PDB file of all heavy atoms in Angstrom:
ATOM      1  N   GLY A  81      -4.568   9.742 -15.706  1.00 90.00           N
ATOM      2  CA  GLY A  81      -3.847   9.870 -14.494  1.00 90.00           C
ATOM      3  C   GLY A  81      -3.410   8.596 -13.840  1.00 90.00           C
ATOM      4  O   GLY A  81      -3.368   8.433 -12.635  1.00 90.00           O
ATOM      5  N   VAL A  82      -3.087   7.581 -14.628  1.00 96.00           N
ATOM      6  CA  VAL A  82      -2.609   6.304 -14.111  1.00 96.00           C
ATOM      7  C   VAL A  82      -1.189   6.035 -14.535  1.00 96.00           C
ATOM      8  O   VAL A  82      -0.802   6.243 -15.659  1.00 96.00           O
ATOM      9  CB  VAL A  82      -3.546   5.138 -14.568  1.00 96.00           C
ATOM     10  CG1 VAL A  82      -2.968   3.814 -14.129  1.00 96.00           C
ATOM     11  CG2 VAL A  82      -4.950   5.316 -14.010  1.00 96.00           C
ATOM     12  N   LEU A  83      -0.369   5.647 -13.553  1.00 97.00           N
ATOM     13  CA  LEU A  83       1.045   5.429 -13.756  1.00 97.00           C
ATOM     14  C   LEU A  83       1.261   3.870 -13.878  1.00 97.00           C
ATOM     15  O   LEU A  83       0.922   3.131 -12.951  1.00 97.00           O
ATOM     16  CB  LEU A  83       1.902   5.947 -12.649  1.00 97.00           C
ATOM     17  CG  LEU A  83       3.425   5.724 -12.711  1.00 97.00           C
ATOM     18  CD1 LEU A  83       4.002   6.452 -13.853  1.00 97.00           C
ATOM     19  CD2 LEU A  83       4.008   6.010 -11.400  1.00 97.00           C
ATOM     20  N   ASN A  90       4.265  -3.871 -10.388  1.00 98.00           N
ATOM     21  CA  ASN A  90       2.905  -4.476 -10.539  1.00 98.00           C
ATOM     22  C   ASN A  90       2.817  -5.772 -11.459  1.00 98.00           C
ATOM     23  O   ASN A  90       1.762  -6.318 -11.560  1.00 98.00           O
ATOM     24  CB  ASN A  90       1.999  -3.420 -11.142  1.00 98.00           C
ATOM     25  CG  ASN A  90       1.584  -2.363 -10.120  1.00 98.00           C
ATOM     26  OD1 ASN A  90       1.439  -1.187 -10.467  1.00 98.00           O
ATOM     27  ND2 ASN A  90       1.437  -2.722  -8.880  1.00 98.00           N
ATOM     28  N   GLU A 121      -3.543  -8.532  -1.471  1.00 97.00           N
ATOM     29  CA  GLU A 121      -3.055  -9.137  -2.722  1.00 97.00           C
ATOM     30  C   GLU A 121      -3.469  -8.290  -3.867  1.00 97.00           C
ATOM     31  O   GLU A 121      -4.495  -7.553  -3.763  1.00 97.00           O
ATOM     32  CB  GLU A 121      -3.623 -10.525  -2.869  1.00 97.00           C
ATOM     33  CG  GLU A 121      -5.132 -10.611  -3.013  1.00 97.00           C
ATOM     34  CD  GLU A 121      -5.621 -12.053  -3.301  1.00 97.00           C
ATOM     35  OE1 GLU A 121      -4.845 -12.939  -3.638  1.00 97.00           O
ATOM     36  OE2 GLU A 121      -6.839 -12.172  -3.199  1.00 97.00           O
ATOM     37  N   SER A 122      -2.770  -8.220  -4.975  1.00 96.00           N
ATOM     38  CA  SER A 122      -1.547  -8.930  -5.130  1.00 96.00           C
ATOM     39  C   SER A 122      -0.270  -8.030  -5.024  1.00 96.00           C
ATOM     40  O   SER A 122       0.791  -8.506  -4.580  1.00 96.00           O
ATOM     41  CB  SER A 122      -1.520  -9.557  -6.565  1.00 96.00           C
ATOM     42  OG  SER A 122      -1.740  -8.626  -7.538  1.00 96.00           O
ATOM     43  N   SER A 123      -0.424  -6.801  -5.413  1.00 97.00           N
ATOM     44  CA  SER A 123       0.836  -5.935  -5.611  1.00 97.00           C
ATOM     45  C   SER A 123       1.399  -5.457  -4.314  1.00 97.00           C
ATOM     46  O   SER A 123       2.495  -4.955  -4.220  1.00 97.00           O
ATOM     47  CB  SER A 123       0.561  -4.809  -6.488  1.00 97.00           C
ATOM     48  OG  SER A 123       0.258  -5.285  -7.814  1.00 97.00           O
ATOM     49  N   LYS A 144      -8.854 -10.825  -1.871  1.00 93.00           N
ATOM     50  CA  LYS A 144      -9.974 -10.182  -2.556  1.00 93.00           C
ATOM     51  C   LYS A 144     -11.018 -11.174  -2.991  1.00 93.00           C
ATOM     52  O   LYS A 144     -12.152 -10.804  -3.213  1.00 93.00           O
ATOM     53  CB  LYS A 144      -9.406  -9.468  -3.859  1.00 93.00           C
ATOM     54  CG  LYS A 144      -8.626  -8.301  -3.553  1.00 93.00           C
ATOM     55  CD  LYS A 144      -8.059  -7.681  -4.839  1.00 93.00           C
ATOM     56  CE  LYS A 144      -7.061  -6.579  -4.597  1.00 93.00           C
ATOM     57  NZ  LYS A 144      -6.228  -6.369  -5.787  1.00 93.00           N
ATOM     58  N   HIS A 160     -14.426  -0.145  -2.100  1.00 93.00           N
ATOM     59  CA  HIS A 160     -14.888   0.309  -3.433  1.00 93.00           C
ATOM     60  C   HIS A 160     -13.755   0.891  -4.228  1.00 93.00           C
ATOM     61  O   HIS A 160     -13.004   1.714  -3.738  1.00 93.00           O
ATOM     62  CB  HIS A 160     -15.970   1.361  -3.302  1.00 93.00           C
ATOM     63  CG  HIS A 160     -16.470   1.869  -4.605  1.00 93.00           C
ATOM     64  ND1 HIS A 160     -17.298   1.072  -5.429  1.00 93.00           N
ATOM     65  CD2 HIS A 160     -16.208   2.968  -5.340  1.00 93.00           C
ATOM     66  CE1 HIS A 160     -17.506   1.740  -6.527  1.00 93.00           C
ATOM     67  NE2 HIS A 160     -16.916   2.893  -6.482  1.00 93.00           N
ATOM     68  N   SER A 161     -13.547   0.421  -5.451  1.00 89.00           N
ATOM     69  CA  SER A 161     -12.565   0.990  -6.311  1.00 89.00           C
ATOM     70  C   SER A 161     -13.190   1.910  -7.301  1.00 89.00           C
ATOM     71  O   SER A 161     -14.005   1.549  -8.110  1.00 89.00           O
ATOM     72  CB  SER A 161     -11.852  -0.216  -7.073  1.00 89.00           C
ATOM     73  OG  SER A 161     -11.033   0.383  -8.122  1.00 89.00           O
ATOM     74  N   PHE A 162     -12.768   3.171  -7.211  1.00 84.00           N
ATOM     75  CA  PHE A 162     -13.245   4.174  -8.137  1.00 84.00           C
ATOM     76  C   PHE A 162     -12.660   3.959  -9.494  1.00 84.00           C
ATOM     77  O   PHE A 162     -13.289   4.195 -10.537  1.00 84.00           O
ATOM     78  CB  PHE A 162     -12.942   5.615  -7.642  1.00 84.00           C
ATOM     79  CG  PHE A 162     -13.690   5.964  -6.375  1.00 84.00           C
ATOM     80  CD1 PHE A 162     -13.105   5.780  -5.151  1.00 84.00           C
ATOM     81  CD2 PHE A 162     -15.003   6.450  -6.511  1.00 84.00           C
ATOM     82  CE1 PHE A 162     -13.815   6.123  -3.985  1.00 84.00           C
ATOM     83  CE2 PHE A 162     -15.663   6.772  -5.360  1.00 84.00           C
ATOM     84  CZ  PHE A 162     -15.118   6.665  -4.070  1.00 84.00           C
ATOM     85  N   THR A 163     -11.398   3.519  -9.495  1.00 81.00           N
ATOM     86  CA  THR A 163     -10.706   3.235 -10.736  1.00 81.00           C
ATOM     87  C   THR A 163     -11.401   2.147 -11.539  1.00 81.00           C
ATOM     88  O   THR A 163     -11.616   2.304 -12.763  1.00 81.00           O
ATOM     89  CB  THR A 163      -9.249   2.805 -10.448  1.00 81.00           C
ATOM     90  OG1 THR A 163      -8.683   3.723  -9.549  1.00 81.00           O
ATOM     91  CG2 THR A 163      -8.389   2.691 -11.762  1.00 81.00           C
ATOM     92  N   LYS A 164     -11.811   1.082 -10.872  1.00 84.00           N
ATOM     93  CA  LYS A 164     -12.411  -0.041 -11.551  1.00 84.00           C
ATOM     94  C   LYS A 164     -13.944  -0.036 -11.493  1.00 84.00           C
ATOM     95  O   LYS A 164     -14.597  -0.855 -12.102  1.00 84.00           O
ATOM     96  CB  LYS A 164     -11.863  -1.355 -10.987  1.00 84.00           C
ATOM     97  CG  LYS A 164     -10.411  -1.536 -11.207  1.00 84.00           C
ATOM     98  CD  LYS A 164      -9.947  -2.842 -10.615  1.00 84.00           C
ATOM     99  CE  LYS A 164      -8.448  -3.083 -10.949  1.00 84.00           C
ATOM    100  NZ  LYS A 164      -7.872  -4.250 -10.348  1.00 84.00           N
ATOM    101  N   ASP A 188       0.888  -0.877  -2.350  1.00 98.00           N
ATOM    102  CA  ASP A 188       1.695  -0.331  -3.456  1.00 98.00           C
ATOM    103  C   ASP A 188       1.279   1.060  -3.920  1.00 98.00           C
ATOM    104  O   ASP A 188       2.131   1.948  -4.057  1.00 98.00           O
ATOM    105  CB  ASP A 188       1.709  -1.313  -4.684  1.00 98.00           C
ATOM    106  CG  ASP A 188       0.365  -1.604  -5.240  1.00 98.00           C
ATOM    107  OD1 ASP A 188      -0.683  -1.429  -4.448  1.00 98.00           O
ATOM    108  OD2 ASP A 188       0.170  -1.970  -6.433  1.00 98.00           O
ATOM    109  N   PHE A 189      -0.010   1.277  -4.050  1.00 98.00           N
ATOM    110  CA  PHE A 189      -0.488   2.581  -4.489  1.00 98.00           C
ATOM    111  C   PHE A 189      -1.465   3.120  -3.484  1.00 98.00           C
ATOM    112  O   PHE A 189      -2.228   2.415  -2.865  1.00 98.00           O
ATOM    113  CB  PHE A 189      -1.200   2.483  -5.859  1.00 98.00           C
ATOM    114  CG  PHE A 189      -0.269   2.681  -7.043  1.00 98.00           C
ATOM    115  CD1 PHE A 189       0.371   1.638  -7.560  1.00 98.00           C
ATOM    116  CD2 PHE A 189      -0.100   3.943  -7.581  1.00 98.00           C
ATOM    117  CE1 PHE A 189       1.246   1.781  -8.641  1.00 98.00           C
ATOM    118  CE2 PHE A 189       0.764   4.168  -8.665  1.00 98.00           C
ATOM    119  CZ  PHE A 189       1.469   3.054  -9.204  1.00 98.00           C
ATOM    120  N   LEU A 190      -1.444   4.435  -3.366  1.00 98.00           N
ATOM    121  CA  LEU A 190      -2.499   5.171  -2.582  1.00 98.00           C
ATOM    122  C   LEU A 190      -3.153   6.133  -3.560  1.00 98.00           C
ATOM    123  O   LEU A 190      -2.532   7.060  -4.067  1.00 98.00           O
ATOM    124  CB  LEU A 190      -1.926   5.895  -1.365  1.00 98.00           C
ATOM    125  CG  LEU A 190      -2.932   6.792  -0.596  1.00 98.00           C
ATOM    126  CD1 LEU A 190      -4.086   5.958  -0.030  1.00 98.00           C
ATOM    127  CD2 LEU A 190      -2.217   7.533   0.512  1.00 98.00           C
ATOM    128  N   ALA A 191      -4.434   5.865  -3.814  1.00 97.00           N
ATOM    129  CA  ALA A 191      -5.194   6.800  -4.736  1.00 97.00           C
ATOM    130  C   ALA A 191      -6.304   7.454  -4.006  1.00 97.00           C
ATOM    131  O   ALA A 191      -6.210   8.522  -3.435  1.00 97.00           O
ATOM    132  CB  ALA A 191      -5.692   5.978  -5.985  1.00 97.00           C
ATOM    133  N   ASN A 192      -7.413   6.729  -3.852  1.00 96.00           N
ATOM    134  CA  ASN A 192      -8.595   7.242  -3.138  1.00 96.00           C
ATOM    135  C   ASN A 192      -8.556   6.793  -1.653  1.00 96.00           C
ATOM    136  O   ASN A 192      -9.428   7.209  -0.892  1.00 96.00           O
ATOM    137  CB  ASN A 192      -9.880   6.815  -3.780  1.00 96.00           C
ATOM    138  CG  ASN A 192     -10.066   7.604  -5.106  1.00 96.00           C
ATOM    139  OD1 ASN A 192     -10.211   8.779  -5.131  1.00 96.00           O
ATOM    140  ND2 ASN A 192     -10.025   6.830  -6.174  1.00 96.00           N
ATOM    141  N   GLY A 193      -7.692   5.873  -1.310  1.00 98.00           N
ATOM    142  CA  GLY A 193      -7.551   5.442   0.022  1.00 98.00           C
ATOM    143  C   GLY A 193      -8.507   4.348   0.510  1.00 98.00           C
ATOM    144  O   GLY A 193      -8.532   3.915   1.604  1.00 98.00           O
ATOM    145  N   GLU A 194      -9.310   3.827  -0.443  1.00 97.00           N
ATOM    146  CA  GLU A 194     -10.296   2.881  -0.062  1.00 97.00           C
ATOM    147  C   GLU A 194      -9.692   1.594   0.383  1.00 97.00           C
ATOM    148  O   GLU A 194     -10.133   0.943   1.386  1.00 97.00           O
ATOM    149  CB  GLU A 194     -11.274   2.652  -1.248  1.00 97.00           C
ATOM    150  CG  GLU A 194     -12.135   3.820  -1.566  1.00 97.00           C
ATOM    151  CD  GLU A 194     -13.042   4.226  -0.512  1.00 97.00           C
ATOM    152  OE1 GLU A 194     -13.798   3.356   0.049  1.00 97.00           O
ATOM    153  OE2 GLU A 194     -13.058   5.406  -0.097  1.00 97.00           O
ATOM    154  N   ALA A 195      -8.655   1.093  -0.315  1.00 98.00           N
ATOM    155  CA  ALA A 195      -8.008  -0.165   0.051  1.00 98.00           C
ATOM    156  C   ALA A 195      -7.341  -0.040   1.432  1.00 98.00           C
ATOM    157  O   ALA A 195      -7.563  -0.914   2.321  1.00 98.00           O
ATOM    158  CB  ALA A 195      -6.967  -0.577  -0.989  1.00 98.00           C
ATOM    159  N   LYS A 219      -0.498   8.917  -4.978  1.00 98.00           N
ATOM    160  CA  LYS A 219      -0.986   9.894  -5.988  1.00 98.00           C
ATOM    161  C   LYS A 219      -1.564  11.085  -5.185  1.00 98.00           C
ATOM    162  O   LYS A 219      -2.688  11.009  -4.799  1.00 98.00           O
ATOM    163  CB  LYS A 219      -1.986   9.238  -6.902  1.00 98.00           C
ATOM    164  CG  LYS A 219      -1.376   8.149  -7.716  1.00 98.00           C
ATOM    165  CD  LYS A 219      -2.335   7.152  -8.323  1.00 98.00           C
ATOM    166  CE  LYS A 219      -2.959   7.712  -9.542  1.00 98.00           C
ATOM    167  NZ  LYS A 219      -3.962   6.743 -10.080  1.00 98.00           N
TER     168      LYS A 219
HETATM  169  P1  LIG B1094      -7.749   3.187  -3.642  1.00 60.98           P
HETATM  170  O1  LIG B1094      -7.655   1.854  -2.987  1.00 60.98           O
HETATM  171  O2  LIG B1094      -6.613   4.105  -3.107  1.00 60.98           O
HETATM  172  O3  LIG B1094      -9.070   3.824  -3.439  1.00 60.98           O
HETATM  173  O4  LIG B1094      -7.441   2.994  -5.149  1.00 60.98           O
HETATM  174  P2  LIG B1094      -8.281   2.614  -6.428  1.00 60.98           P
HETATM  175  O5  LIG B1094      -9.566   1.967  -6.007  1.00 60.98           O
HETATM  176  O6  LIG B1094      -8.282   3.835  -7.251  1.00 60.98           O
HETATM  177  O7  LIG B1094      -7.272   1.507  -7.040  1.00 60.98           O
HETATM  178  C1  LIG B1094      -7.686   0.241  -7.470  1.00 60.98           C
HETATM  179  C2  LIG B1094      -6.495  -0.471  -7.990  1.00 60.98           C
HETATM  180  O8  LIG B1094      -5.738   0.269  -8.877  1.00 60.98           O
HETATM  181  C3  LIG B1094      -5.506  -0.967  -6.900  1.00 60.98           C
HETATM  182  O9  LIG B1094      -4.820  -2.109  -7.309  1.00 60.98           O
HETATM  183  C4  LIG B1094      -4.472   0.199  -6.894  1.00 60.98           C
HETATM  184  O10 LIG B1094      -3.304  -0.168  -6.369  1.00 60.98           O
HETATM  185  C5  LIG B1094      -4.397   0.489  -8.377  1.00 60.98           C
HETATM  186  N1  LIG B1094      -3.956   1.832  -8.780  1.00 60.98           N
HETATM  187  C6  LIG B1094      -4.599   3.029  -8.556  1.00 60.98           C
HETATM  188  N2  LIG B1094      -4.018   3.986  -9.213  1.00 60.98           N
HETATM  189  C7  LIG B1094      -2.960   3.419  -9.872  1.00 60.98           C
HETATM  190  C8  LIG B1094      -1.981   3.917 -10.685  1.00 60.98           C
HETATM  191  O11 LIG B1094      -1.843   5.149 -11.059  1.00 60.98           O
HETATM  192  N3  LIG B1094      -1.091   3.017 -11.265  1.00 60.98           N
HETATM  193  C9  LIG B1094      -1.157   1.679 -10.928  1.00 60.98           C
HETATM  194  N4  LIG B1094      -0.201   0.872 -11.460  1.00 60.98           N
HETATM  195  N5  LIG B1094      -2.098   1.169 -10.138  1.00 60.98           N
HETATM  196  C10 LIG B1094      -3.000   1.992  -9.591  1.00 60.98           C
HETATM  197  P3  LIG B1094      -5.554  -3.505  -7.262  1.00 60.98           P
HETATM  198  O12 LIG B1094      -6.698  -3.576  -8.139  1.00 60.98           O
HETATM  199  O13 LIG B1094      -5.726  -3.770  -5.883  1.00 60.98           O
HETATM  200  O14 LIG B1094      -4.503  -4.462  -8.000  1.00 60.98           O
HETATM  201  P4  LIG B1094      -3.205  -5.271  -7.525  1.00 60.98           P
HETATM  202  O15 LIG B1094      -2.890  -5.058  -6.100  1.00 60.98           O
HETATM  203  O16 LIG B1094      -3.548  -6.686  -7.879  1.00 60.98           O
HETATM  204  O17 LIG B1094      -2.107  -4.714  -8.424  1.00 60.98           O
END
Side-chain angles (χ1 to χ4, degrees):
V82 173
L83 177 69
N90 286 144
E121 64 176 346
S122 54
S123 297
K144 290 177 187 160
H160 180 74
S161 168
F162 293 96
T163 309
K164 296 182 173 173
D188 59 335
F189 270 89
L190 175 61
N192 291 294
E194 294 296 309
K219 296 162 81 180

